Coordinates of all heavy atoms in Angstrom, one line a residue:
S683 N -15.0 -3.9 -6.8 CA -15.6 -5.0 -6.1 C -15.7 -6.2 -7.1 O -15.8 -7.3 -6.5 CB -16.9 -4.6 -5.5 OG -17.7 -4.1 -6.5
S684 N -15.9 -5.9 -8.3 CA -16.2 -7.0 -9.3 C -14.9 -7.9 -9.5 O -15.0 -9.1 -9.6 CB -16.6 -6.5 -10.7 OG -15.5 -5.7 -11.3
V685 N -13.8 -7.3 -9.5 CA -12.5 -8.1 -9.6 C -12.2 -8.6 -8.3 O -11.6 -9.9 -8.2 CB -11.3 -7.2 -10.1 CG1 -10.8 -6.2 -9.1 CG2 -10.1 -8.1 -10.5
E686 N -12.6 -8.1 -7.1 CA -12.3 -8.6 -5.8 C -13.0 -10.0 -5.6 O -12.6 -10.8 -4.8 CB -12.7 -7.6 -4.7 CG -11.6 -6.5 -4.6 CD -11.9 -5.4 -3.7 OE1 -13.2 -5.5 -3.3 OE2 -11.1 -4.7 -3.3
Q687 N -14.1 -10.1 -6.4 CA -15.0 -11.3 -6.2 C -14.2 -12.5 -6.7 O -14.5 -13.6 -6.2 CB -16.2 -11.2 -7.1 CG -17.3 -10.3 -6.5 CD -18.5 -10.3 -7.2 OE1 -19.3 -11.3 -7.3 NE2 -18.9 -9.3 -8.0
L688 N -13.2 -12.3 -7.6 CA -12.5 -13.5 -8.0 C -11.5 -14.0 -6.9 O -11.0 -15.2 -7.0 CB -11.5 -13.0 -9.2 CG -12.2 -12.4 -10.5 CD1 -11.1 -12.0 -11.5 CD2 -13.1 -13.4 -11.0
M689 N -11.4 -13.4 -5.7 CA -10.6 -13.8 -4.7 C -11.6 -14.8 -3.8 O -10.9 -15.4 -2.9 CB -10.2 -12.7 -3.9 CG -9.0 -11.9 -4.7 SD -8.5 -10.4 -3.7 CE -7.8 -11.2 -2.2
E690 N -12.9 -14.7 -3.9 CA -13.7 -15.5 -3.1 C -13.5 -17.0 -3.1 O -13.3 -17.5 -4.4 CB -15.2 -15.2 -3.3 CG -15.6 -13.8 -3.0 CD -17.0 -13.5 -3.3 OE1 -17.8 -14.5 -3.5 OE2 -17.5 -12.4 -3.3
G691 N -13.3 -17.7 -2.1 CA -13.1 -19.1 -2.1 C -11.5 -19.2 -2.0 O -11.0 -20.5 -1.9
M692 N -10.7 -18.3 -2.1 CA -9.2 -18.6 -2.0 C -8.9 -18.8 -0.6 O -9.3 -18.3 0.3 CB -8.4 -17.2 -2.5 CG -8.2 -17.1 -4.0 SD -7.1 -15.7 -4.4 CE -7.0 -15.8 -6.1
T693 N -7.9 -19.7 -0.5 CA -7.5 -20.1 0.9 C -6.0 -19.9 1.1 O -5.4 -19.8 2.2 CB -7.8 -21.6 1.3 OG1 -7.1 -22.4 0.3 CG2 -9.3 -21.7 1.4
D694 N -5.2 -20.0 -0.1 CA -3.7 -19.9 0.0 C -3.4 -18.5 0.4 O -3.8 -17.6 -0.4 CB -3.2 -20.2 -1.3 CG -1.7 -20.2 -1.2 OD1 -1.1 -19.0 -1.6 OD2 -1.1 -21.3 -1.0
Q695 N -2.8 -18.2 1.5 CA -2.5 -16.9 1.9 C -1.5 -16.1 1.0 O -1.7 -14.8 0.8 CB -1.8 -16.9 3.4 CG -2.8 -17.5 4.4 CD -4.1 -16.4 4.4 OE1 -3.9 -15.2 4.6 NE2 -5.3 -17.2 4.3
Q696 N -0.6 -16.8 0.5 CA 0.4 -16.1 -0.5 C -0.4 -15.6 -1.7 O -0.2 -14.6 -2.2 CB 1.4 -17.0 -1.0 CG 2.5 -16.5 -2.1 CD 3.3 -15.3 -1.4 OE1 3.6 -15.3 -0.2 NE2 3.6 -14.2 -2.1
A697 N -1.4 -16.5 -2.2 CA -2.1 -16.1 -3.4 C -3.1 -14.9 -3.1 O -3.2 -14.0 -3.9 CB -3.1 -17.3 -3.9
I698 N -3.6 -14.9 -1.9 CA -4.4 -13.8 -1.4 C -3.5 -12.5 -1.3 O -4.2 -11.4 -1.8 CB -5.1 -14.0 -0.1 CG1 -6.1 -15.2 -0.2 CG2 -5.8 -12.9 0.4 CD1 -6.7 -15.8 1.1
K699 N -2.4 -12.6 -0.8 CA -1.5 -11.4 -0.6 C -1.1 -10.9 -2.1 O -1.2 -9.8 -2.3 CB -0.3 -11.8 0.0 CG 0.9 -10.8 0.1 CD 2.2 -11.3 0.6 CE 3.3 -10.3 0.4 NZ 4.6 -10.8 0.7
M700 N -0.9 -11.7 -3.0 CA -0.5 -11.4 -4.4 C -1.6 -10.7 -5.0 O -1.5 -9.6 -5.6 CB -0.1 -12.6 -5.1 CG 0.2 -12.3 -6.6 SD 0.8 -13.7 -7.4 CE 0.8 -13.1 -9.2
M701 N -2.9 -11.3 -5.0 CA -4.0 -10.6 -5.6 C -4.5 -9.4 -5.0 O -4.8 -8.5 -5.8 CB -5.2 -11.7 -5.6 CG -5.1 -12.8 -6.6 SD -5.4 -12.2 -8.2 CE -7.0 -11.9 -8.2
T702 N -4.5 -9.2 -3.7 CA -4.8 -8.0 -3.0 C -3.9 -6.9 -3.4 O -4.1 -5.7 -3.8 CB -4.7 -8.2 -1.5 OG1 -5.7 -9.2 -1.2 CG2 -5.1 -6.8 -0.7
G703 N -2.5 -7.2 -3.5 CA -1.5 -6.2 -3.8 C -1.6 -5.8 -5.3 O -1.6 -4.6 -5.7
L704 N -2.0 -6.7 -6.2 CA -2.1 -6.5 -7.6 C -3.3 -5.5 -7.8 O -3.2 -4.5 -8.5 CB -2.2 -7.8 -8.5 CG -1.1 -8.5 -8.7 CD1 -1.5 -9.8 -9.4 CD2 -0.1 -7.7 -9.8
I705 N -4.4 -5.8 -7.1 CA -5.6 -5.1 -7.3 C -5.4 -3.7 -6.7 O -5.6 -2.6 -7.5 CB -6.8 -5.8 -6.6 CG1 -7.2 -7.0 -7.3 CG2 -8.0 -4.7 -6.5 CD1 -8.2 -7.7 -6.4
D706 N -4.7 -3.5 -5.6 CA -4.4 -2.2 -5.1 C -3.4 -1.4 -6.0 O -3.7 -0.2 -6.3 CB -3.6 -2.3 -3.7 CG -4.6 -2.8 -2.6 OD1 -5.8 -2.6 -2.8 OD2 -4.0 -3.2 -1.6
W707 N -2.5 -2.2 -6.6 CA -1.4 -1.4 -7.4 C -2.2 -1.0 -8.6 O -1.9 0.2 -9.1 CB -0.2 -2.4 -7.8 CG 0.7 -1.8 -8.5 CD1 1.9 -0.9 -8.0 CD2 1.0 -1.7 -10.0 NE1 2.6 -0.6 -9.0 CE2 2.2 -1.0 -10.2 CE3 0.3 -2.4 -11.0 CZ2 2.7 -0.9 -11.4 CZ3 0.9 -2.2 -12.2 CH2 2.0 -1.3 -12.5
V708 N -2.9 -1.8 -9.3 CA -3.7 -1.4 -10.5 C -4.6 -0.2 -10.4 O -4.6 0.8 -11.1 CB -4.4 -2.6 -11.2 CG1 -5.2 -2.1 -12.4 CG2 -3.3 -3.6 -11.7
W709 N -5.4 -0.4 -9.3 CA -6.4 0.8 -9.1 C -5.8 2.1 -8.8 O -6.4 3.1 -8.9 CB -7.2 0.2 -8.1 CG -8.7 0.0 -8.8 CD1 -9.8 0.9 -8.6 CD2 -9.2 -1.1 -9.4 NE1 -10.8 0.3 -9.3 CE2 -10.5 -0.8 -9.9 CE3 -8.5 -2.3 -9.9 CZ2 -11.2 -1.8 -10.7 CZ3 -9.1 -3.1 -10.8 CH2 -10.5 -2.8 -11.2
R710 N -4.7 2.1 -8.0 CA -4.0 3.4 -7.6 C -3.1 4.0 -8.8 O -2.6 5.1 -8.7 CB -3.3 3.3 -6.4 CG -2.1 2.5 -6.4 CD -1.3 2.8 -5.0 NE 0.1 2.1 -5.1 CZ 0.4 0.9 -4.6 NH1 -0.6 0.1 -4.1 NH2 1.5 0.4 -4.8
N711 N -2.8 3.2 -9.8 CA -2.0 3.5 -10.8 C -2.6 4.6 -11.7 O -3.8 4.5 -12.2 CB -1.6 2.4 -11.7 CG -0.4 2.6 -12.6 OD1 -0.2 3.6 -13.1 ND2 0.7 1.6 -12.4
S712 N -2.0 5.7 -12.0 CA -2.5 6.8 -12.7 C -2.2 6.8 -14.3 O -2.7 7.6 -15.0 CB -1.9 8.2 -12.1 OG -0.5 8.3 -12.2
V713 N -1.4 5.9 -14.7 CA -1.0 5.9 -16.1 C -2.2 5.2 -16.8 O -3.0 4.6 -16.3 CB 0.2 5.1 -16.4 CG1 1.5 5.6 -15.7 CG2 0.1 3.6 -16.2
S714 N -2.2 5.3 -18.2 CA -3.4 4.8 -18.9 C -3.3 3.2 -18.8 O -2.3 2.6 -18.7 CB -3.3 5.2 -20.4 OG -2.1 4.6 -21.1
S715 N -4.5 2.7 -19.0 CA -4.7 1.3 -18.9 C -3.8 0.5 -19.8 O -3.3 -0.7 -19.6 CB -6.2 0.8 -19.0 OG -6.8 1.5 -18.0
D716 N -3.7 1.1 -21.1 CA -2.8 0.4 -22.2 C -1.4 0.3 -21.7 O -0.7 -0.4 -22.4 CB -3.0 1.2 -23.4 CG -4.4 1.0 -24.0 OD1 -5.1 0.1 -23.6 OD2 -4.8 1.9 -24.7
K717 N -0.9 1.1 -20.8 CA 0.5 1.2 -20.5 C 0.8 0.5 -19.1 O 1.9 0.3 -18.8 CB 1.0 2.6 -20.5 CG 0.8 3.2 -21.8 CD 1.5 4.6 -21.7 CE 1.5 5.3 -23.1 NZ 1.9 6.8 -23.1
I718 N -0.2 0.2 -18.4 CA 0.0 -0.3 -16.9 C 0.8 -1.8 -17.0 O 1.7 -2.0 -16.2 CB -1.3 -0.6 -16.2 CG1 -1.9 0.8 -16.0 CG2 -1.0 -1.3 -14.8 CD1 -3.4 0.7 -15.3
G719 N 0.4 -2.5 -18.0 CA 1.0 -3.9 -18.1 C 2.5 -3.8 -18.3 O 3.3 -4.5 -17.8
Q720 N 2.9 -3.0 -19.3 CA 4.3 -2.8 -19.7 C 5.1 -2.2 -18.4 O 6.2 -2.7 -18.3 CB 4.4 -1.7 -20.8 CG 5.8 -1.5 -21.3 CD 5.9 -0.5 -22.5 OE1 4.9 0.0 -22.9 NE2 7.1 -0.2 -22.8
Q721 N 4.4 -1.3 -17.6 CA 5.1 -0.7 -16.6 C 5.3 -1.8 -15.5 O 6.3 -1.9 -14.8 CB 4.2 0.4 -16.0 CG 4.8 1.1 -14.8 CD 3.9 2.2 -14.1 OE1 3.0 1.7 -13.5 NE2 4.2 3.4 -14.3
F722 N 4.3 -2.6 -15.3 CA 4.3 -3.7 -14.3 C 5.4 -4.7 -14.6 O 6.2 -5.1 -13.9 CB 3.0 -4.4 -14.2 CG 3.0 -5.7 -13.2 CD1 2.8 -5.4 -11.8 CD2 3.5 -6.9 -13.5 CE1 2.7 -6.3 -10.9 CE2 3.6 -7.8 -12.6 CZ 3.3 -7.6 -11.3
K723 N 5.5 -5.1 -15.9 CA 6.6 -6.1 -16.4 C 8.0 -5.4 -16.1 O 8.9 -6.2 -15.7 CB 6.5 -6.2 -17.9 CG 7.4 -7.3 -18.5 CD 7.1 -8.6 -18.1 CE 8.0 -9.7 -18.6 NZ 7.7 -10.0 -20.1
Q724 N 8.1 -4.2 -16.4 CA 9.4 -3.5 -16.2 C 9.8 -3.6 -14.7 O 10.9 -3.8 -14.3 CB 9.5 -2.1 -16.6 CG 9.4 -1.9 -18.2 CD 9.2 -0.6 -18.6 OE1 8.8 0.3 -18.0 NE2 9.3 -0.4 -19.9

């Protein structure tokens, strides 16, 4: 919920879609936090 607060005030639907997807993807990812970024970049 703390990171979702960063979306408050957003009106651009593409940006909202991107942020929601990113939050969902990071939170359901089971790899260690130190490796998530590298995995995403790939």
